[in-house]
Each structure stands twice: as structure tokens, then as C-alpha cells.
Amino acid sequence: MTDANQAARKALHWADSWADAIIRERGDLDAYTCSAGITPSGTVHIGNFREIISVDLVVRALRDRGKNARFLYSWDDYDVFRKVPANMPEQDMLKAHLRFPITLVPDPFGRDESYARHHEADVEAVLPKVGITPEYRYQAECYRAGRYAEGMRTALRNRDRIRDCLNRFRDDAHKISGQEDYWPVAAFCAKCNRDATEIDSYDGDYGVTYHCTACGHAETADLRTAKGLKLGWRVDWPMRWRYERTVFEPAGKDHHSKGGSFDTARLVSKEVFGWDAPVSFRYDFIGIKGAPGKMSSSKGDVITLGDVLRVYQPEVVRYLFAGTRPNTEFAISFDLDVLKTYEDYDRTERIAWGAEKAKNDEAFLKERRIYELSQVGDMPAEMPYQAPFRHLCNILQINSGDIGATLASLPGVKPEQEARLRARCECAWRWVTECAPDEFAFSLRADGSKAALSEAEVQALRRIRADIAPQLDALGEKALSEALYAVASGFALEPKALFQAVYQALIGKNQGPRLASFMKIIGRERLERILSAY
């Protein structure tokens, strides 16, 4: 591909447009810090993943332009534990730790050193599967190590200015009055660990005096050494932008609402910390369609990235986000729409590799770029083997989930293509067994059982076994369909009635996959064995 085509392709995708905007606004930098983050207050769900992959895609676009881009992901694990999620065990124990910093709440599963770390570890383990490896920041560690002491001192010395920044977006009823004490910092009590504290005074340097309304403890804490002081959210965010030199960070539409946290953080960042707010965009929420039942029963209504990866290959997960603009709401499906999602990905793959012609050059360049950004790593050396997801589901059900037998039935699979194809088979089998509608799932009769059929239908099945099954390999699908219609006519059966009889004989249902291709997938030997019961 020519350099001109590469440049054109990289101008068509939204991630590339934002990468260009970052370079245009911030200039040529030694490093471009792109950030995201979340409070690990509960299971991190697939909706939270949208911010993560949005940053990853923009980082990739910057790197494709030869820039040194870093992806910094912040765990806001020094936030207050305010509510116990309903899907957590040890509810009483967790309730006893309300108002603690999340990092000091015990792990109710007993696996990790804290509640926060449990949720962090789950995400950190799964992100590499979709090719995302951020540099992690743990805010509890940063605060408790005194790294933000200067930032907190700057905020305290400028608390009147911060109050003004916050008030600019508030109506008169919600402004912080000049007579009211405003403190940009809060304290976790050094004795009981709760945030039931009130700031009493600031000495103008590093000393903050507070008292606890829960246990009565009082002290003057030093910003440089105290373990329990931190900034409030609307000040903490811009302070960290300056500390990390962040130039890009997207946010959800709640933060990007007019007068929301991003608007106030922008003012505080510039006027207090002397740092231009990062380039940003608003990303929309995503929904879940046809949510699976037993797959996530332990999590209630929460669907995680790990759950999605049980049904969608990593490349297809990335494709769902790379192929959709961030400000567009969409749903991740677990119902029959899964089949269409795979079909859409496969079409993009064919276009990207030139196996299918796009409607024009611009469409080709766009699809190629989406495909590139959908890959977990670099582009594969050659086009992956394409086996339609629907087709794999049928073959797997015929083989009772035996992936080895399924792969063996596919012609021309190269050794270097097998790993990705096997991964698709695993997803297909999980979808069939855990998510697919009952009408889609089936299993071949393997116990010699028989369907209750009319005499004419039984005679027709005998004819199929005697005359058609021996020719199964030689007949094309069209010829096979014509032969089945001829059998129906010969026994004065409506074609639909014959087809239902065959489906009943094979899988105990009135319908199933397209019959001619289904019979060919089953194969002569198995077909004759099942029909021999009649």
C-alpha cells in the first residue's frame, strides 16, 4: 500500500482524527500521556471498558504517527466506600467498612489484599487478552506516599480561587458562599479510618488540622507524611492532569454535561495548577441485548469484559468499539445478533485483505483501518481462515462440541491459522450452550430413539437412506434439495411435511439449519446410522 493510501486510511477513523487533534493542540511533545480511570467500588463492567478501549485506540493512532504515547490508567482506590453492591458476598462485613477508603476494605472473596485490589486484579488480568496493557496508577499508594503533597498545598493555598471556579457553573441556590468554610481536601481519620471528619484549619504550609465526628480523634496532619488526606474529586482530577502531564482523557456524558465535573476541572486545571485541560471527547453508554442467563448469574445484571470474551473473539470485541464512534450508543448482544456481528466482522476482514471488493476506495480504506485497530497486536501475516460463526455452531453441535473433530472437517486450514480458528470455535460452543435461543440449539439423535411419524413419512425416510444418502458426497446442495423434493412428491407429501419429518428424525425438532447443507455437514455415515432406526 502506498504512503498516500496509508495516510488517507489513517485520516478516516475517529481515533486518528482525535490523534491529529491532540498533536495540533499540544504540539510536538517528547511524550503524550493519555489517561483513563475508575473507582473500583464494585465489579468493573463492560460499560466501563468503553473508556479504556477508547484511550487505547487513540494511543495506537498516536503511535502510528511515530509519537511516544503512554496509556495511564488510574485506579481511584482511595475513594470512599459508600455503598455495598448487591452482588457481593459477606454483606455484613462490607457494611461494617462503609466510609472507609476502598483500599482498606477487606476482600470479601478472600483472594486479594483488599476489596479494591480484587476488582483491579480482575481487570488487569483480562485486558491483555484484547491487547491493552496500560501503565497503572494506584491513587491510594500515591496519596499515602506523599506524592501529591505539593498539589494539595497548592489547592489549599488557592481555595478561594477554586471556590470561584466551582461557583461559576452553579446557580445562586447552590453556590458555596463566601461565609462558608470551603476546603478542597478531606481526611480519613487516622484512628478509625472513616471519612467522618471535619477540617478545622490550615497553617498555610503543610499542616491541616481536623477532628473526627465518629470517634472524636483530632490531630494536625502533615500533607507530606499523613496517610489520610486527599483532594475532593473536582480538584483531584485537574491536580493529576498537571502531575502526570495528561494531554488526552475522554469522559462519560455525565462528566461532560454542561457545568459538570469536566467543565469545573478545566477551570481549576488552568487557573490553579497552570495546566491546559486535556483534549477530550464524550463517550456514550452501551447496553446489553439478550443478556445471557447462567453465564453471569453470579454477577446479577453486571456483564464484564470477561463475560463478553466468552462469546466474542478478542478481535471482534475490539471491532465492536473500533467500528462505532464513541458518542454513539450501542448494545452488545448475546442473542441471535451475535451471528450478524460475526458476519459484519468477517466482511470487514475480507475487504481489508482484498478478498471482497468495497464499494469504493474510501470504503476500502475505512474498513481496512477499522480492521487494523481491531487486531490484538500487529496485523496477521496472512488472512485468517474464515469459517462463518453460524456454520461453526452447526458443525460443533453435530460433533457434540468436539472442537478437534470440527476443525478436522474444515478443508484447507493452515497450521498458522488454527489458533484463531480454535478460539472462534470455543466462543461458538459457549454461545450455543450458554446464550443461544432454544430454537437454535440442537443435538443429533445418538441413542437410536425414533420420532413419531406417519407411515408415509417413515417410507420417505427409508427412501432417503437408500437412494440419497449414498450419493451425499457427490451431490451439490441444489441437486440434493431437488432430490428431497422428488422424494416428497413420490410419497404424496408436502415438502414442508417431509422436511419436518427429517428434522424430527435427526434432532427431534420441526426445523433446524438449512436441510441440504445440514445433511452434507452430518455426512453419509452418521446420516445412514440415524435413519437406520426407521
Side-chain angles (χ1 to χ4, degrees):
M1 185 174 293
T2 67
D3 290 342
N5 278 345
Q6 288 179 345
R9 185 176 75 251
K10 290 173 183 173
L12 285 170
H13 194 271
W14 60 262
D16 295 302
S17 298
W18 283 105
D20 290 338
I22 294 165
I23 296 168
R24 186 169 59 249
E25 287 195 24
R26 306 311 282 247
D28 190 21
L29 304 175
D30 291 336
Y32 294 80
T33 298
C34 303
S35 299
I38 193 175
T39 300
S41 55
T43 304
V44 179
H45 56 76
I46 189 63
N48 305 132
F49 177 67
R50 187 164 207 176
E51 180 180 47
I52 298 173
I53 194 166
S54 293
V55 176
D56 175 76
L57 292 168
V58 173
V59 166
R60 285 198 180 192
L62 284 166
R63 290 172 180 167
D64 285 346
R65 283 153 174 73
K67 302 301 182 182
N68 175 23
R70 64 196 285 249
F71 181 178
L72 188 67
Y73 194 72
S74 254
W75 289 114
D76 295 332
D77 50 7
Y78 215 40
D79 286 357
V80 181
F81 187 45
R82 301 180 186 280
K83 183 180 179 181
V84 179
N87 63 341
M88 290 293 123
E90 302 290 346
Q91 291 274 310
D92 290 341
M93 181 275 288
L94 291 175
K95 288 175 183 175
H97 287 83
L98 289 174
R99 314 306 303 182
F100 277 50
I102 300 175
T103 194
L104 295 184
V105 178
D107 178 11
F109 297 91
R111 187 193 71 190
D112 295 285
E113 60 265 31
S114 72
Y115 178 87
R117 185 60 198 148
H118 182 95
H119 299 304
E120 293 164 359
D122 284 350
V123 174
E124 291 174 15
V126 75
L127 284 182
K129 295 179 181 179
V130 289
I132 301 177
T133 54
E135 175 185 345
Y136 293 104
R137 278 285 183 276
Y138 305 93
Q139 293 308 317
E141 176 187 321
C142 291
Y143 269 110
R144 292 164 72 85
R147 294 176 196 166
Y148 298 148
E150 296 305 323
M152 287 192 284
R153 184 168 73 155
T154 297
L156 282 163
R157 287 178 166 178
N158 290 273
R159 60 194 181 109
D160 289 336
R161 184 172 294 179
I162 293 172
R163 186 206 322 254
D164 175 62
C165 291
L166 299 178
N167 280 342
R168 285 184 221 173
F169 292 99
R170 293 177 174 176
D171 58 32
D172 290 340
H174 295 91
K175 290 184 188 296
I176 307 170
S177 72
Q179 288 72 43
E180 179 182 351
D181 277 340
Y182 165 70
W183 300 104
V185 299
F188 290 108
C189 177
K191 185 176 181 181
C192 73
N193 290 320
R194 289 178 170 81
D195 74 332
T197 59
E198 294 179 0
I199 305 296
D200 297 316
S201 63
Y202 169 57
D203 69 3
D205 196 16
Y206 292 102
V208 176
T209 302
Y210 73 87
H211 70 277
C212 179
T213 62
C215 72
H217 176 72
E219 69 170 323
T220 296
D222 190 311
L223 294 172
R224 295 164 295 186
T225 58
K227 304 298 185 184
L229 297 176
K230 66 163 294 185
L231 290 169
W233 162 243
R234 289 179 184 246
V235 185
D236 170 80
W237 202 13
M239 181 276 292
R240 285 193 272 137
W241 287 342
R242 174 65 182 86
Y243 183 87
E244 301 290 356
R245 306 183 73 80
T246 299
V247 297
F248 171 70
E249 182 168 0
K253 62 182 182 181
D254 49 346
H255 292 305
H256 265 296
S257 61
K258 184 174 176 56
S261 54
F262 194 88
D263 280 347
T264 55
R266 185 193 305 275
L267 287 176
V268 173
S269 184
K270 182 67 173 177
E271 298 186 16
V272 175
F273 296 104
W275 185 256
D276 287 331
V279 176
S280 183
F281 59 67
R282 175 186 70 99
Y283 59 84
D284 215 321
F285 300 135
I286 62 173
I288 301 295
K289 183 172 181 285
K294 59 185 176 182
M295 187 171 76
S296 286
S297 59
S298 65
K299 301 184 180 68
D301 294 331
V302 180
I303 301 295
T304 68
L305 173 60
D307 291 331
V308 176
L309 284 169
R310 290 184 62 77
V311 170
Y312 290 100
Q313 290 175 260
E315 298 81 12
V316 181
V317 172
R318 292 186 62 92
Y319 170 80
L320 285 167
F321 293 89
T324 308
R325 297 192 70 86
N327 61 350
T328 302
E329 189 173 342
F330 75 97
I332 293 178
S333 298
F334 289 91
D335 58 11
L336 286 172
D337 284 350
V338 169
L339 305 177
K340 183 180 185 305
T341 299
Y342 272 93
E343 288 168 2
D344 291 344
Y345 174 82
D346 288 350
R347 179 176 180 274
T348 294
E349 183 171 73
R350 291 192 299 273
I351 290 173
W353 286 96
E356 179 177 324
K357 188 170 178 58
K359 62 181 180 180
N360 54 46
D361 290 343
E362 181 177 319
F364 165 73
L365 293 171
K366 181 178 180 181
E367 293 294 322
R368 171 79 177 186
R369 184 58 172 156
I370 290 172
Y371 183 76
E372 285 178 349
L373 292 171
S374 298
Q375 302 312 296
V376 169
D378 295 332
M379 286 278 286
E382 64 175 300
M383 181 176 170
Y385 188 97
Q386 281 212 338
F389 195 78
R390 181 190 293 269
H391 184 59
L392 282 181
C393 290
N394 291 336
I395 301 177
L396 283 162
Q397 290 185 91
I398 288 169
N399 288 298
S400 301
D402 187 333
I403 292 177
T406 298
L407 293 176
S409 72
L410 299 172
V413 180
K414 299 178 182 179
E416 57 270 25
Q417 296 173 319
E418 186 172 322
R420 190 178 288 207
L421 186 55
R422 179 177 290 275
R424 178 171 286 206
C425 287
E426 291 169 353
C427 288
W429 184 243
R430 284 192 289 261
W431 180 72
V432 164
T433 56
E434 299 179 7
C435 307
D438 289 342
E439 61 268 23
F440 187 92
F442 65 84
S443 59
L444 288 180
R445 290 184 187 268
D447 56 0
S449 61
K450 297 167 60 175
L453 303 174
S454 69
E455 181 60 29
E457 290 168 341
V458 169
Q459 293 299 326
L461 291 184
R462 291 173 178 168
R463 178 64 57 83
I464 290 171
R465 183 178 186 275
D467 295 348
I468 296 179
Q471 306 178 63
L472 200 60
D473 294 336
L475 291 173
E477 286 188 22
K478 182 178 180 181
L480 178 54
S481 293
E482 291 172 350
L484 291 171
Y485 277 100
V487 170
S489 177
F491 288 94
L493 291 170
E494 289 292 328
K496 181 179 179 181
L498 174 64
F499 286 14
Q500 284 186 353
V502 176
Y503 285 126
Q504 281 290 341
L506 296 176
I507 61 176
K509 294 188 172 188
N510 286 332
Q511 59 185 12
R514 191 164 178 266
L515 188 55
S517 61
F518 188 42
M519 290 171 65
K520 291 184 72 66
I521 294 170
I522 292 172
R524 172 183 173 178
E525 183 178 333
R526 274 185 294 200
L527 184 65
E528 289 181 337
R529 184 168 64 248
I530 294 171
L531 295 184
S532 66
Y534 300 90

